[in-house]
């Protein structure tokens, strides 16, 4: 029995978890900072770091209590090393290093996006690997070929905005609040997806890369008038806003599904897994289910990660940390936080 403590603080969720043998979740705690950032329309890095400092100690104690474990029963401590907000990452990494030193436990730094890509394996009987992993959140939009948890190969990623970020920005343009994904998703259900003609950016040169800033700008100009960035919102009725939400969601989802299935063709993978907050999107779930079921010559199996492991969480960090631990990987007390994904 191997038990790993996971710590996650890469953005605006402070989280701790205990996972047994990389699969069985003993506890999974998250303190959201929703109230701290909502009034600013986005995450304020300094406030996020401060909130992590306030919450983390309590979350570690609470995790020990809920899992009914003492420090002596823990095998290792896994922590998100990056990518993310540097100030936020530093809090988690410093806490993990301190606990590893105080409890004399091995320390393992984990790549946050690889943890999202492999989170589909948590709580299920059989590993879905090899699989295509679509990771779609407020910070990332990437396609991976996950050969195994420690062999995660990047196939493509966004060259500008992440899909969730585009949802959030469109919500801000329409004055629907933050975070924007859930409300835009809800309003899209009663709108007409063909009402507004929005571009699908396919980036032919790098087939599996994404770009969402063009769609977002097209919504901006549609609302305010060509080339303008303000005014015009008042003339929109509720049903026109529903139509914009539906047309925008359809444009983003078209590209996400198309590229995911292209990755399936290129790698001949038999399974698709989806992680990250945007995996909650109802149209994305519906369209991916349809695309995988109707795939020829054979259907592709689809695993939509449960929402509690889709949004930022520490169970996915502990689960991936377990595989690194089993493979003998150990970090030293000199472990550093790394904000930029290309430097990890
Ligand atoms: O994974 P997550 O909790 O945090 C990170 O960004 O890492 O994802 C949050 C993102 C936000 O941008 C939010 O607007 C988006 O996921 N989101 C959605 C939906 N629910 C959350 N986007 C589209 N449709 C949704 N139903
Ligand atoms: Zn994330």
């Amino acid at each position: 029995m191997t038990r790993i403590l996971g710590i996650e603080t890469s953005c605006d969720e402070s989280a701790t978890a205990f996972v047994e043998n990389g699969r069985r979740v003993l506890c999974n705690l998250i303190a959201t900072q929703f109230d701290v950032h909502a009034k600013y329309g986005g995450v304020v890095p300094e406030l996020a770091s401060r909130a992590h400092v306030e919450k983390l100690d309590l979350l570690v104690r609470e995790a020990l209590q809920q899992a009914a474990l003492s420090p002596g029963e823990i095998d290792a401590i896994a922590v998100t090393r990056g990518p993310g907000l540097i100030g936020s990452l530093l809090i988690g990494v410093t806490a993990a290093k301190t606990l590893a030193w105080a409890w004399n436990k091995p320390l393992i730094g984990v790549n946050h996006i690889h943890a999202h890509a492999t989170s589909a394996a948590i709580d299920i009987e059989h590993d879905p690997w090899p699989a295509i992993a679509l990771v779609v959140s407020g910070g990332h939009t990437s396609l991976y070929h996950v050969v195994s948890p420690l062999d995660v190969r990047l196939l493509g990623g966004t060259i500008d905005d992440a899909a969730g970020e585009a949802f959030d920005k469109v919500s801000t343009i329409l004055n629907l609040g933050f975070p924007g994904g859930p409300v835009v998703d809800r309003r899209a259900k009663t709108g007409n997806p063909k009402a507004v003609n929005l571009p699908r950016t396919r980036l032919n040169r790098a087939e599996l890369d994404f770009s969402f800033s063009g769609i977002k700008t097209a919504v901006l100009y549609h609302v305010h008038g060509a080339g303008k960035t303000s005014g015009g919102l008042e003339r929109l009725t509720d049903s026109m806003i529903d139509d914009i939400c539906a047309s925008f969601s359809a444009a983003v989802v078209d590209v996400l599904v198309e590229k995911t299935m292209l990755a399936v063709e290129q790698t001949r993978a038999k399974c698709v897994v989806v992680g990250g907050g945007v995996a909650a999107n109802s149209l994305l779930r519906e369209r991916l289910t349809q695309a995988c079921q109707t795939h020829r010559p054979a259907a592709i199996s689809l695993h939509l990660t449960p929402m509690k492991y889709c949004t930022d969480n520490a169970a996915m960090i502990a689960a991936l940390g377990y595989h690194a631990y089993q493979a003998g990987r150990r970090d030293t007390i000199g472990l550093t936080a790394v904000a930029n994904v290309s430097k990890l």
Side-chain angles (χ1 to χ4, degrees):
M1 209 64 81
T2 304
R3 298 186 187 100
I4 311 278
L5 167 65
I7 297 179
E8 153 66 36
T9 63
S10 65
C11 188
D12 59 340
E13 323 273 10
S14 322
T16 57
F18 276 107
V19 176
E20 209 167 66
N21 292 347
R23 209 179 276 277
R24 191 168 158 254
V25 180
L26 302 180
C27 76
N28 183 35
L29 304 178
I30 300 178
T32 67
Q33 302 178 1
F34 182 79
D35 298 343
V36 178
H37 306 287
K39 61 175 174 284
Y40 300 104
V43 176
V44 183
E46 288 78 6
L47 298 181
S49 315
R50 195 169 298 199
H52 289 308
V53 172
E54 284 165 9
K55 304 269 175 59
L56 206 49
D57 180 36
L58 206 68
L59 283 169
V60 171
R61 286 169 205 266
E62 181 77 22
L64 282 165
Q65 214 169 51
Q66 277 199 18
L69 291 173
S70 66
E73 295 168 298
I74 303 168
D75 293 280
I77 298 168
V79 62
T80 301
R81 187 181 180 215
L85 300 171
I86 190 66
S88 291
L89 289 165
L90 273 169
I91 309 300
V93 168
T94 307
K97 291 202 288 193
T98 309
L99 291 173
W101 175 77
W103 293 343
N104 196 21
K105 300 289 173 189
L107 174 70
I108 297 160
V110 169
N111 178 321
H112 176 87
I113 313 187
H114 287 190
H116 272 304
T118 53
S119 62
I122 300 173
D123 264 355
I124 62 171
E125 285 280 311
H126 303 288
D127 280 347
W129 325 123
I132 293 301
L134 172 67
V135 180
V136 265
S137 73
H140 355 276
T141 301
S142 322
L143 275 167
Y144 291 92
H145 187 198
V146 183
V147 179
S148 70
L150 297 182
D151 185 356
V152 179
R153 302 173 189 179
L154 180 67
L155 300 173
T158 181
I159 59 162
D160 41 56
D161 292 352
E165 189 181 355
F167 270 94
D168 293 335
K169 286 179 177 167
V170 162
S171 175
T172 305
I173 293 167
L174 297 172
N175 203 18
L176 298 177
F178 174 85
V183 58
V184 172
D185 188 5
R186 186 161 40 77
R187 301 280 303 247
K189 285 180 187 153
T190 40
N192 172 7
K194 297 208 168 96
V196 187
N197 190 15
L198 296 171
R200 272 75 172 153
T201 310
R202 293 195 166 87
L203 296 175
N204 286 335
R205 275 187 307 141
E207 284 181 311
L208 295 175
D209 279 344
F210 299 93
S211 165
F212 294 110
S213 74
I215 301 175
K216 175 200 65 190
T217 307
V219 171
L220 188 78
Y221 290 171
H222 177 80
V223 171
H224 302 304
K228 295 197 195 141
T229 54
S230 64
L233 194 57
E234 324 71 56
R235 68 178 170 81
L236 297 181
T237 62
D238 278 354
S239 86
M240 286 160 94
I241 291 182
D242 292 350
D243 286 348
I244 295 172
C245 290
S247 303
F248 168 76
S249 301
V252 171
V253 168
D254 269 358
V255 178
L256 290 174
V257 173
E258 194 178 296
K259 301 229 169 189
T260 303
M261 298 318 284
L262 188 60
V264 166
E265 300 310 326
Q266 289 186 359
T267 57
R268 297 179 191 279
K270 308 257 181 304
C271 180
V272 168
V273 303
V274 191
V278 183
N281 185 267
S282 53
L283 185 65
L284 179 63
R285 295 171 90 90
E286 185 188 311
R287 292 278 312 280
L288 269 179
T289 304
Q290 200 179 33
C292 287
Q293 272 171 2
T294 57
H295 183 267
R296 293 293 171 263
I300 299 291
S301 71
L302 173 68
H303 186 93
L304 296 163
T305 306
M307 276 325 291
K308 60 185 167 188
Y309 306 132
C310 264
T311 50
D312 285 350
N313 68 89
M316 67 179 189
I317 304 301
L320 184 53
Y322 164 80
H323 293 286
Y325 176 81
Q326 290 297 90
R329 239 202 59 207
R330 305 288 183 266
D331 282 303
T332 67
I333 207 79
L335 179 73
T336 51
V338 177
N340 191 325
V341 69
S342 64
K343 305 232 167 78
L344 261 173

